[in-house]
Amino acid sequence: MNNLLLKIDLSSEKVGIEEISDEILEQYLGGRGLGVKLLCDNLKGKIDPLAPGNVMIFAIGPLTSTIVPTSGRFSLVTKSPLTNTLTHSNSGGFWGSVFKRCGYDALLVTGKLNGDTKGYILIDGVSVKIKDAGDLWGLNSGETVEKLNELEGKCQVLSIGPAGENLVRISAIMNQAHRAFGRGGVGTVMGSKGLKAIVVKGGTKKFSPPDLDHLKQLNLVASDKIKVFPITSQGLPLFGTAVMMKVINAFGMLPINNNQKGQDTRIDDVSGERLREDFFQRDEGCYACPIRCGRLTNTGEMKGKGPEFESLWALGPQCGIFDLKIITHANYFCNKYGLDTISTGVTIACAMELQQRGLLNDAGMKFGNGKVLLDLIRKIAYKEGIGGELAEGSLRFAEKSGGVQYAMQVKGMELPAYDPRGAMGQALNYATSNRGACHLTGYLIGMELLGVPKLIDRFTIAGKADQLVLKQNQSAVEDSLVTCKFVGFALGLDFQVRFLQAVTGIDFNITELVKVGERIHTLERMFNLREGFSKKDDTLPERFLKEPLNEGASKGQVVPLEKLLSDYYQVRDWNEDGIPTDALLDELDLVRLT
Ligand code: SF4
């Protein structure tokens, strides 16, 4: 690591550099862990996420920009305007590797540009400038990348589109034109600061591990494992993440019509296989990635990237839409405007159900209406008409319409593509994830559905808390190193430990690394408790607790959350109200936040 934090206060336009100690890096690694630590140290309690005082931290990890497979990733941590919780997100591409070569481990941005000034940050090697973005404001993500490459030469760009500029609570930060820090409304935080983009280029810092030959040897073994494991050698490279559409549908847990159904016979029309047949142009990968799950696509009318699985589902079956061209265009529009595809699709699906239940008076808002979907995406981004209300996300919209039970969200963030009634461990993860309904912070789908690394019964609740706690802690480690979740299918945590040792020379073992993950997860919990969250927020929409699916392979199931949650608190060594004990905080070297 570089041991340096780049700090930018947009209010005073001051740029500073601070040292990050080895002790902090050993305790939090980098990426998400380092971001969480810096957020807790730099953010006052109960601050409005859209106030100038909110802080955004972009952090790379010890494995970022090395030769380790999928090591191009980096993390963002901030306070979410969608949920008011701490939120973290990670993204791939090449921005993180260039930033690391500039000599920093993290960038902390706070404050707000004066008055109506709009700006962008340029990090060019060691030189850092805040530049005028008056001409960029209003451009979509593709146009912004193009313009900045014209102005600054070849560079990597994080930017917001019109959605972030207009303070849409479900907006994303786009990484180049098509990748994203998608969840939690992070684009809105950037928009509230008058910050259009963060550009990186240049940088000469070289990667120099203590024993390069050993690392290369380890890399060869890892690459061989990736090449023979079916998901990383065939499923993802051939069909992208959309390969999951048919799999999840077969388990009867693909949310359809706002989670009113879990399976549909039209699945072949919107599968990863169909996407490849009809629109696929070529694959695309992040820095140092042998898997290359990205898809460049062309519908004959438009070109772009994706959709990947979650987007394909959220803008498709969740809204009752099984027309692949419409879904693909909807995905392009979300990327262009800078919207989180999951929250956008699920919020529109919520509105469609409110209309179905007579709680909304908007005749076109019907499941299956692709024309309305495409129209609403633009309206949300520009806050036009009903789009202005949908821009607040499903919870706020449904509360206003008198049908909060139809918002498929936890802590305000919309649920991803796995109906919790079909996998009890995943259900518990949604309820307890610190950033709201998130599939990635404890992806038990690997075990409950795919049998990776081993198959466990998806409906059983016994033992699920133990498995989830371990998975959540491991995920915190992966997000802090930072590596891609998909490589984890082929390489277990033992590989991460060996890579970390080879890159840093520090002699971690698996138990110590899992403890680091526990520290990160627990500190996030402490942040949320300080913000006023409590046990009552560790829950799921009523539908999943009381209303079984009446057909398909997950028929008849509801989530026995109370029992799952009490087991979970016990395994975590939190009291019955979900508060970490003093003994645990001592063990993890944490203090209560005030
Ligand atoms: S598997 Fe996909 S998302 Fe992960 S690093 Fe590779 S290309 Fe990027």
Side-chain angles (χ1 to χ4, degrees):
M1 296 285 275
N2 297 309
N3 289 73
L4 289 182
L5 165 67
L6 175 62
K7 259 183 150 174
I8 300 180
D9 181 347
L10 295 170
S11 302
S12 61
E13 302 204 13
K14 269 198 184 143
V15 176
I17 293 174
E18 284 179 14
E19 197 182 318
I20 304 171
S21 70
D22 285 336
E23 192 191 351
I24 292 291
L25 293 177
E26 278 185 36
Q27 285 194 319
Y28 294 93
L29 299 175
R32 171 176 157 194
L34 178 60
V36 169
K37 172 68 176 152
L38 290 170
L39 188 78
C40 292
D41 288 352
N42 285 277
L43 194 72
K44 286 191 194 134
K46 299 212 163 70
I47 200 164
D48 176 354
L50 299 182
N54 195 7
V55 166
M56 309 182 82
I57 296 131
F58 300 84
I60 52 96
L63 300 189
T64 307
S65 195
T66 63
I67 59 171
V68 174
T70 76
S71 61
R73 300 192 77 83
F74 62 113
S75 295
L76 162 64
V77 179
T78 187
K79 183 174 176 184
S80 162
L82 183 65
T83 61
N84 282 313
T85 63
L86 173 149
T87 193
H88 54 83
S89 186
N90 79 59
S91 188
F94 294 82
W95 194 99
S97 63
V98 178
F99 179 70
K100 190 168 187 179
R101 283 205 302 273
C102 291
Y104 308 106
D105 292 337
L107 163 67
L108 185 153
V109 182
T110 188
K112 175 190 175 298
L113 290 167
N114 283 331
D116 288 334
T117 307
K118 310 299 176 197
Y120 69 94
I121 294 170
L122 173 66
I123 302 167
D124 181 357
V126 289
S127 151
V128 180
K129 290 181 186 148
I130 301 168
K131 299 180 85 169
D132 183 69
D135 290 346
L136 300 172
W137 205 256
L139 298 185
N140 68 41
S141 57
E143 292 165 345
T144 305
V145 173
E146 209 179 298
K147 186 80 186 165
L148 282 165
N149 272 268
E150 257 172 56
L151 289 170
E152 305 295 351
K154 196 166 181 299
C155 57
Q156 291 291 314
V157 177
L158 298 179
S159 69
I160 53 169
E165 294 174 4
N166 294 324
L167 306 185
V168 170
R169 278 186 206 271
I170 52 175
S171 68
I173 294 175
M174 301 307 295
N175 177 359
Q176 296 296 88
H178 306 296
R179 295 186 180 276
F181 286 113
R183 310 238 54 204
V186 292
T188 317
V189 181
M190 227 164 116
S192 72
K193 296 183 178 307
L195 186 61
K196 177 69 178 175
I198 305 174
V199 179
V200 291
K201 59 186 269 205
T204 53
K205 197 83 198 271
K206 291 251 168 16
F207 165 58
S208 49
D211 185 348
L212 184 59
D213 288 340
H214 171 59
L215 182 61
K216 281 183 176 165
Q217 195 54 41
L218 196 54
N219 225 23
L220 282 179
V221 180
S223 299
D224 285 346
K225 283 182 84 96
I226 292 168
K227 273 184 212 148
V228 296
F229 196 77
I231 298 176
T232 49
S233 64
Q234 292 163 38
L236 288 168
L238 274 175
F239 306 112
T241 52
V243 72
M244 293 297 279
M245 287 293 278
K246 281 167 77 166
V247 177
I248 304 306
N249 187 65
F251 281 103
M253 51 185 292
L254 187 76
I256 294 160
N257 291 4
N258 204 34
N259 291 81
Q260 295 184 79
K261 281 175 63 187
Q263 213 159 24
D264 199 289
T265 52
R266 293 168 289 174
I267 194 66
D268 285 339
D269 297 344
V270 291
S271 64
E273 291 81 347
R274 177 57 60 85
L275 184 69
R276 184 168 181 101
E277 264 170 47
D278 290 0
F279 302 144
F280 178 79
Q281 285 209 298
R282 65 176 172 85
D283 61 18
E284 194 207 54
C286 303
Y287 171 93
C289 179
I291 303 170
R292 299 176 67 83
C293 74
R295 327 274 72 202
L296 292 179
T297 48
N298 184 346
T299 66
E301 290 167 33
M302 285 185 227
K303 286 195 274 193
K305 197 181 149 212
E308 55 88 41
F309 169 53
E310 293 285 343
S311 312
L312 179 50
W313 152 77
L315 300 166
Q318 181 70 326
C319 295
I321 294 167
F322 287 79
D323 181 321
L324 192 56
K325 189 184 271 189
I326 286 177
I327 302 168
T328 305
H329 289 173
N331 179 64
Y332 294 164
F333 289 172
C334 285
N335 286 345
K336 178 171 146 180
Y337 298 133
L339 282 165
D340 172 10
T341 50
I342 298 178
S343 286
T344 300
V346 177
T347 300
I348 292 172
C350 169
M352 288 172 167
E353 184 165 0
L354 289 167
Q355 170 71 21
Q356 175 196 326
R357 307 263 169 204
L359 292 167
L360 193 69
N361 185 14
D362 188 326
M365 192 78 80
K366 286 208 170 106
F367 286 113
N369 192 336
K371 195 168 169 303
V372 159
L373 172 83
L374 294 175
D375 192 40
L376 281 175
I377 291 172
R378 190 185 46 78
K379 284 184 169 157
I380 290 172
Y382 290 97
K383 289 191 167 174
E384 284 173 20
I386 194 170
E389 293 169 53
L390 294 168
E392 294 290 293
S394 64
L395 176 62
R396 290 173 175 86
F397 182 78
E399 267 172 352
K400 216 170 152 189
S401 309
V404 72
Q405 67 273 34
Y406 303 118
M408 298 301 119
Q409 54 73 39
V410 174
K411 300 183 178 78
M413 191 163 89
E414 288 71 21
L415 260 80
Y418 310 91
D419 193 301
R421 288 165 291 192
M424 298 306 152
Q426 192 67 13
L428 182 60
N429 182 51
Y430 288 153
T432 58
S433 161
N434 290 318
R435 66 171 186 162
C438 166
H439 55 304
L440 295 170
T441 45
Y443 190 73
L444 271 199
I445 292 297
M447 289 170 87
E448 292 186 303
L449 268 55
L450 308 176
V452 181
K454 63 168 185 176
L455 189 63
I456 56 175
D457 187 299
R458 64 189 177 116
F459 297 125
T460 298
I461 62 166
K464 286 293 165 73
D466 293 277
Q467 281 142 351
L468 178 65
V469 166
L470 180 60
K471 194 75 202 165
Q472 286 180 336
N473 293 344
Q474 284 180 356
S475 293
V477 169
E478 286 164 357
D479 293 343
S480 305
L481 288 174
V482 184
T483 52
C484 179
K485 291 279 184 303
F486 300 139
V487 84
F489 284 126
L491 309 176
L493 198 61
D494 55 325
F495 257 93
Q496 313 279 20
V497 170
R498 288 156 75 189
F499 276 131
L500 185 61
Q501 285 170 345
V503 166
T504 63
I506 300 173
D507 202 13
F508 275 105
N509 61 41
I510 289 189
T511 311
E512 286 162 347
L513 211 53
V514 171
K515 193 53 86 183
V516 170
E518 185 179 9
R519 178 178 299 118
I520 295 164
H521 189 95
T522 308
L523 184 55
E524 290 171 356
R525 177 74 175 185
M526 298 307 293
F527 179 98
N528 285 350
L529 290 171
R530 180 185 72 177
E531 298 302 309
F533 287 84
S534 65
K535 180 180 181 179
K536 72 171 174 22
D537 301 296
D538 295 337
T539 190
L540 293 168
E542 194 180 87
R543 166 160 292 162
F544 306 120
L545 308 178
K546 296 185 175 164
E547 215 180 283
L549 288 160
N550 54 25
E551 57 182 26
S554 295
K555 181 179 168 182
Q557 300 289 331
V558 290
V559 181
L561 187 62
E562 212 171 309
K563 170 70 179 133
L564 281 164
L565 203 54
S566 123
D567 289 354
Y568 177 86
Y569 288 166
Q570 224 172 356
V571 175
R572 278 238 171 258
D573 198 6
W574 297 354
N575 71 17
E576 67 274 16
D577 291 322
I579 298 170
T581 61
D582 288 338
L584 177 69
L585 295 184
D586 278 351
E587 187 190 321
L588 296 174
D589 200 14
L590 294 174
V591 291
R592 291 190 196 284
L593 301 179
T594 52

